[in-house]
Amino acid sequence: MNITAPTTADHPATASRAANAKASSNGRRVTDAPTRVYHWLLALSFLGAYLTGDGERLRALHVTLGYTMAGLILFRLLYGLFGPRQVRLSVLRNKLTLGLAWLRGLPASLARGQVNWQPGQNLLMALAITLLLLCVLPLTLSGYAIYHEWGGEWLEELHEFFGNGYLMLVLAHLGLLLGISLWRRKNQALPMLTGRLPGKGPDLVRRNQGWLAILLLLAVLGYWRWEWQQAPNGLLSTQALQQVLAGDDD
């Protein structure tokens, strides 16, 4: 009887080391798929809603994208409560708490000439993300009220105020990403594109949760399809788009 001796590649520990080496060559996974899909759907929805905010011809599309933003924020809150540890809202809260403590001790650190700027960076990013989450509520509620003709002109001005404020928050967020990327010489936006950062080390996110990302995308696309079927002329007609691009919003 021939007995084949186990090779080094067959050993579980060796296979595990090989898998880790392969993961290290691709960088460390720091952001899972649902977070990335949520992020880009929210960005796309806000951009579309902002561009279609004026005029009546694209009102149905504007409203649909606004409701999409509200649904995405709801998903993020639920994911932050029941999702993996690294996406929990408690992580955001801890960054704010540690950042505020760092801010209180900043004068003493400056006096000693020893300042760790990492907590300050985390504080700014966490604050921007928190405000982006919170601002969606009054933005969508005021839009909902306008759509159902509750209130008057003051409500439209309030909705426009929050819309412009949200745009300023988005620009500030992008500015922070750019500034930190230049300062640290690392692309801070990369995790939202690939989910990974270059460098060796263990993955901070063990499971990519691709199935949940697919479900989220299908849910949004399904909602858009339903709204398209409900709208008398669809959400985006070629004629309406041409008239809006030509500046005829009446």
Side-chain angles (χ1 to χ4, degrees):
M1 180 174 60
N2 294 328
I3 300 178
T4 303
T7 62
T8 304
D10 293 332
H11 197 281
T14 304
S16 177
R17 285 194 296 269
N20 290 336
K22 183 178 179 180
S24 296
S25 65
N26 295 328
R28 298 178 301 142
R29 183 189 294 135
V30 296
T31 308
D32 62 17
T35 302
R36 301 200 307 275
V37 170
Y38 150 81
H39 177 274
W40 291 112
L41 284 175
L42 184 66
L44 177 63
S45 297
F46 172 71
L47 178 62
Y50 190 85
L51 293 177
T52 57
D54 295 329
E56 292 294 324
R57 289 189 172 88
L58 297 177
R59 188 183 187 190
L61 178 60
H62 175 78
V63 171
T64 297
L65 294 174
Y67 289 166
T68 303
M69 289 180 64
L72 289 169
I73 292 298
L74 178 60
F75 164 81
R76 183 63 184 90
L77 293 176
L78 292 174
Y79 199 44
L81 291 174
F82 305 107
R85 180 184 58 82
Q86 70 275 357
V87 301
R88 294 288 180 91
L89 296 177
S90 57
V91 175
L92 193 63
R93 181 194 62 202
N94 291 339
K95 288 183 178 181
L96 291 172
T97 301
L98 293 174
L100 291 175
W102 170 85
L103 196 60
R104 288 192 294 267
L106 183 58
S109 299
L110 289 173
R112 294 193 304 268
Q114 298 177 346
V115 180
N116 177 17
W117 295 103
Q118 182 68 39
Q121 168 193 319
N122 293 338
L123 173 62
L124 289 175
M125 292 300 296
L127 187 60
I129 293 173
T130 301
L131 291 175
L132 285 170
L133 289 172
L134 294 177
C135 191
V136 171
L137 180 61
L139 180 61
T140 54
L141 286 179
S142 58
Y144 182 84
I146 293 172
Y147 183 69
H148 291 277
E149 299 182 351
W150 302 342
E153 185 176 347
W154 67 273
L155 198 56
E156 296 181 6
E157 294 177 354
L158 183 66
H159 184 63
E160 184 177 355
F161 169 80
F162 281 113
N164 290 331
Y166 201 87
L167 177 62
M168 294 299 104
L169 288 173
V170 169
L171 294 177
H173 178 61
L174 294 176
L176 279 172
L177 282 174
L178 177 60
I180 295 172
S181 296
L182 294 175
W183 177 42
R184 301 187 64 183
R185 297 181 180 180
K186 291 182 179 180
N187 188 348
Q188 299 297 305
L190 197 59
M192 282 301 171
L193 293 171
T194 66
R196 294 182 176 275
L197 279 177
K200 297 181 179 180
D203 289 342
L204 300 182
V205 176
R206 294 185 178 181
R207 294 184 176 87
N208 196 37
Q209 307 285 359
W211 64 272
L212 184 57
I214 293 174
L215 286 180
L216 176 61
L217 179 60
L218 290 177
V220 171
L221 293 178
Y223 169 65
W224 287 352
R225 177 179 173 82
W226 180 81
E227 285 285 6
W228 189 293
Q229 293 174 339
Q230 298 301 309
N233 300 316
L235 295 178
L236 184 62
S237 65
T238 304
Q239 181 182 4
L241 183 59
Q242 290 176 344
Q243 290 174 335
V244 170
L245 292 177
D248 182 13
D249 295 336
D250 297 333

